Amino acid sequence: MWLMSDFFSFQWFKDVSIARKLYFTVGIMALLIGVELFALNFSVGTLSSVRAYVSAEGLWSKAQKDALNSLLNYGITHNDEDYTHFLEYMKVPLGDSKTREQLLLPEPDMAKARQGFLEGHVNPDDIDGMIKLFRRFHSISYINHAILIWGEAQPVVFRMYPLAEQLREEIKKPEPSAVKIAALLQQIQVLNKQLTPLEDDFSGTLGDGSRWLENLVLKLLFVIALTVEITGLLLAVSVSRSMQKGLTEIIEATRRFARGDLSTRSKVFSKDEIGLLANSFNHMSDELEENITVRKKTEIDIMALNESLEKRVNERTAELKTAYAEMEAFSYSVSHDLKSPLLKINGFTKILMSRLGNDLDTDNAKMLKMIVDSAAQMTHLTENLLKLSRSSSAPLQKVDVDMNALVSEVLSDLKITQPDLKAEITEHPMSGAFCDPVLIKQVWANLLSNAVKYSSKVEKPVVEIGNTINFGRVVYFVKDNGTGFNMENYNQLFDPFKRLHTEKEFQGTGVGLALVHRIIARHQGRIWAEAEVNKGATFYFTLDEKGE
């Protein structure tokens, strides 16, 4: 037996797209459901026609009985109304007989057949169904037997007409014969006895036929419903298995590939979307395997290069540390050795100027003044060099520091060294910090002295000090409204011996900001600046709040 599953094993069906498979499945199911609905409609119509025949048989039998009873009553009562009832009741079997005669013809006149059923008091809505049932199933034994009984009863029914005429004529005579009337009524009783078994047989045959047809319809519906369900199940199972098989293979292949088996490839069972997905996976696997192989080789090369670079960096770092240590030692030694003779030069020059007093002419006084200023500048430079060298080597002594008090000390020192301080200092309450107070005091001293120095040339110099919170960290700042600087040179701002201002009125060593940068770095903080030419500058710095 050919099965639906055999159909789905054909390669052509495997290769069509999933959408077409689903369309095909839906189409088959729709067709089968349509067949099922057609069968259901046919079954309901057939059973309804059988019901109509059973009802018509009841009308047929009852009409014949009522006609006989009316005729018998007429023979007894001689009441014309009973005879009229007889004629009215006889219309039902006569109408049914007309229909039977037409339906037995090879080419029946359907209009006459319908008219006969109407005269037989059949519901107009049931007539077409009854005619179709008669023509479709007349060869069935039950229906055929019922038609034969119907035919046998017809002449018996028609024999009532001449008896009824004779009875009417006798009753209408001036002196009706009671003997003749009794004889006619006896003959009518005989017809009644002949019709009764025929009516019973006709009714029983229709009942048997209706039960047979009902069982047939139920079996037909069951078979069709079972066919629809099995076909739908086979379609669903076949399509889902086809999809599941391909998807399972792809999933397993991806798992093996993910576990490191780069040679894994998915089997391709069809040319539909799942097959295309498997081919795409295989193509991707080929490229990934090649890329991973190249990457591993590149990683090996990079590791070898990194080892070589790390070795060279370590060597260079060691060299730089040695050179830096030697430079710091040299700077410390030179600055320390220079400090003593510079102090002597400065001191003896001042003594000389004091002793000579007014004996010095203007040129000599200027030259001695230049010697004093140069010695002071050299002394300041050596002190900064000492601070710069110590800022990197001296151990940190971190304690809790009151920044407000520390800045107040710096401002007091500034007023001593710069009694003509012109800038207006705007102070804000600041948070404390865990830091080295000596080094941080140098930070504030350098930033504030620079701010005062570079804002002293404006009409109303102002220096603002304070702190703010940025992303949970305390940021200290010193802001001035002085000359500012060009941000294009920002990368040189914290380099030692680099000066962004070369004007004579802003003399400096170029060491202060480098010293600040080192101190902040040692505190694991950060320093940066924002500035605009002739509009001032702002320096920000942070410290390690945890004191690590």
Side-chain angles (χ1 to χ4, degrees):
M1 182 179 177
W2 185 81
L3 296 174
M4 187 66 69
S5 58
D6 296 332
F7 173 79
F8 286 102
S9 66
F10 292 162
Q11 188 61 40
W12 73 267
F13 189 79
K14 291 182 179 179
D15 293 339
V16 300
S17 67
I18 295 176
R20 289 188 177 182
K21 288 178 184 177
L22 295 176
Y23 291 153
F24 180 83
T25 302
V26 172
I28 292 294
M29 291 300 298
L31 178 63
L32 292 174
I33 291 173
V35 172
E36 185 176 15
L37 291 175
F38 174 79
L40 180 62
N41 182 64
F42 171 79
S43 302
V44 170
T46 301
L47 291 176
S48 178
S49 299
V50 171
R51 174 196 56 77
Y53 264 110
V54 172
S55 177
E57 182 275 332
L59 292 173
W60 179 75
S61 298
K62 185 175 183 303
Q64 292 176 153
K65 289 293 185 181
D66 289 342
L68 284 170
N69 290 331
S70 297
L71 194 57
L72 290 173
N73 288 335
Y74 178 65
I76 297 172
T77 62
H78 299 178
N79 189 349
D80 289 340
E81 186 176 351
D82 290 330
Y83 188 79
T84 302
H85 288 163
F86 162 75
L87 294 177
E88 193 65 32
Y89 289 134
M90 285 298 293
K91 290 180 180 179
V92 173
L94 289 176
D96 291 340
S97 297
K98 290 179 182 178
T99 300
R100 175 180 173 276
E101 291 174 358
Q102 289 296 324
L103 293 180
L104 290 177
L105 296 175
E107 298 293 334
D109 186 340
M110 292 301 174
K112 293 182 178 181
R114 291 188 182 90
Q115 183 61 35
F117 271 143
L118 286 174
E119 294 176 1
H121 295 177
V122 175
N123 192 308
D125 296 334
D126 296 331
I127 292 176
D128 289 338
M130 294 173 66
I131 292 174
K132 291 178 181 178
L133 180 67
F134 186 96
R135 292 176 60 80
R136 287 173 181 168
F137 297 99
H138 67 275
S139 59
I140 301 301
S141 60
Y142 298 104
I143 306 300
N144 187 40
H145 185 58
I147 294 172
L148 291 177
I149 296 171
W150 192 3
E152 292 177 5
Q154 183 173 331
V156 176
V157 173
F158 286 166
R159 282 164 54 189
M160 284 193 289
Y161 274 105
L163 292 175
E165 289 294 332
Q166 293 177 22
L167 181 61
R168 181 177 176 77
E169 290 178 359
E170 188 62 34
I171 290 174
K172 291 298 182 180
K173 289 180 179 180
E175 293 181 2
S177 172
V179 176
K180 288 184 179 181
I181 291 173
L184 290 172
L185 291 177
Q186 183 64 33
Q187 292 181 40
I188 293 171
Q189 289 286 6
V190 172
L191 291 178
N192 186 26
K193 291 180 180 179
Q194 291 177 354
L195 281 175
T196 298
L198 291 174
E199 290 171 349
D200 293 342
D201 195 8
F202 185 69
S203 178
T205 302
L206 280 179
D208 293 339
S210 65
R211 284 188 291 274
W212 170 83
L213 192 57
E214 182 180 355
N215 291 331
L216 177 65
V217 168
L218 290 176
K219 290 178 181 179
L220 178 63
L221 289 176
F222 176 77
V223 171
I224 292 175
L226 186 63
T227 302
V228 171
E229 295 298 328
I230 292 176
T231 303
L233 183 62
L234 287 175
L235 285 169
V237 170
S238 299
V239 174
S240 63
R241 280 185 178 178
S242 175
M243 295 171 62
Q244 184 180 9
K245 184 178 180 182
L247 290 174
T248 301
E249 174 62 24
I250 294 173
I251 292 171
E252 290 298 323
T254 56
R255 288 176 177 173
R256 293 194 298 270
F257 194 91
R259 289 195 293 265
D261 186 2
L262 303 183
S263 62
T264 297
R265 298 295 181 269
S266 175
K267 294 181 181 178
V268 181
F269 298 104
S270 61
K271 296 181 181 179
D272 58 6
E273 289 86 346
I274 296 177
L276 293 176
L277 179 61
N279 284 325
S280 298
F281 170 79
N282 293 337
H283 180 67
M284 179 190 68
S285 300
D286 292 338
E287 292 185 350
L288 282 176
E289 183 179 15
E290 182 179 355
N291 291 338
I292 291 173
T293 303
V294 172
R295 189 194 69 184
K296 287 183 176 180
K297 183 178 182 303
T298 304
E299 287 178 351
I300 294 173
D301 295 340
I302 291 175
M303 288 177 63
L305 180 60
N306 285 339
E307 291 177 358
S308 175
L309 289 174
E310 185 177 359
K311 182 178 179 182
R312 292 174 61 186
V313 168
N314 291 335
E315 293 174 353
R316 184 59 178 163
T317 301
E319 293 175 358
L320 290 174
K321 285 182 178 179
T322 302
Y324 185 74
E326 293 175 352
M327 183 187 70
E328 283 195 338
F330 174 77
S331 299
Y332 180 80
S333 177
V334 170
S335 61
H336 186 271
D337 293 342
L338 285 175
K339 187 174 183 180
S340 180
L342 285 172
L343 290 173
K344 291 179 181 179
I345 293 171
N346 190 30
F348 286 131
T349 303
K350 288 182 179 180
I351 292 172
L352 182 60
M353 291 175 66
S354 176
R355 287 181 178 181
L356 294 176
N358 296 328
D359 294 336
L360 288 172
D361 58 23
T362 304
D363 291 337
N364 290 330
K366 285 183 178 180
M367 286 188 286
L368 288 174
K369 179 69 168 57
M370 290 177 64
I371 292 172
V372 171
D373 291 341
S374 297
Q377 187 175 358
M378 287 292 291
T379 302
H380 182 64
L381 176 60
T382 56
E383 289 177 351
N384 281 339
L385 286 173
L386 282 172
K387 291 178 182 178
L388 186 63
S389 61
R390 290 172 181 169
S391 67
S392 300
S393 57
L396 294 177
Q397 301 295 327
K398 290 186 177 182
V399 296
D400 289 325
V401 175
D402 183 350
M403 282 293 189
N404 295 293
L406 190 65
V407 170
S408 296
E409 291 180 15
V410 173
L411 292 174
S412 297
D413 293 342
L414 279 176
K415 290 178 181 179
I416 293 173
T417 57
Q418 301 181 36
D420 298 328
L421 185 66
K422 295 181 180 181
E424 177 186 350
I425 306 298
T426 303
E427 298 182 43
H428 293 287
M430 290 183 290
S431 303
F434 188 74
C435 59
D436 188 319
V438 176
L439 295 178
I440 297 303
K441 185 176 180 180
Q442 293 180 25
V443 171
W444 283 113
N446 277 280
L447 294 178
L448 285 170
S449 62
N450 282 345
V452 170
K453 178 171 63 177
Y454 293 117
S455 63
S456 61
K457 300 300 180 181
V458 299
E459 182 178 352
K460 185 180 180 181
V462 177
V463 177
E464 184 178 355
I465 309 167
N467 71 265
T468 184
I469 304 297
N470 189 14
F471 294 104
R473 295 187 68 85
V474 179
V475 180
Y476 301 96
F477 65 87
V478 177
K479 182 178 181 181
D480 65 68
N481 62 344
T483 59
F485 58 86
N486 193 336
M487 290 294 288
E488 293 180 357
N489 300 320
Y490 183 83
N491 58 341
Q492 301 176 4
L493 185 62
F494 299 106
D495 292 344
F497 309 109
K498 296 282 187 178
R499 298 180 64 245
L500 302 186
H501 294 279
T502 58
E503 298 86 346
K504 291 183 179 181
E505 63 267 27
F506 298 127
Q507 294 182 357
T509 61
V511 177
L513 288 179
L515 174 62
V516 169
H517 186 270
R518 287 192 183 182
I519 293 173
I520 297 300
R522 290 199 65 192
H523 281 78
Q524 298 178 351
R526 188 168 69 93
I527 183 168
W528 68 97
E530 296 175 354
E532 190 174 350
V533 177
N534 297 325
K535 291 188 178 180
T538 304
F539 283 82
Y540 304 91
F541 69 90
T542 61
L543 299 173
D544 179 24
E545 295 176 340
K546 298 180 181 179
E548 297 176 354

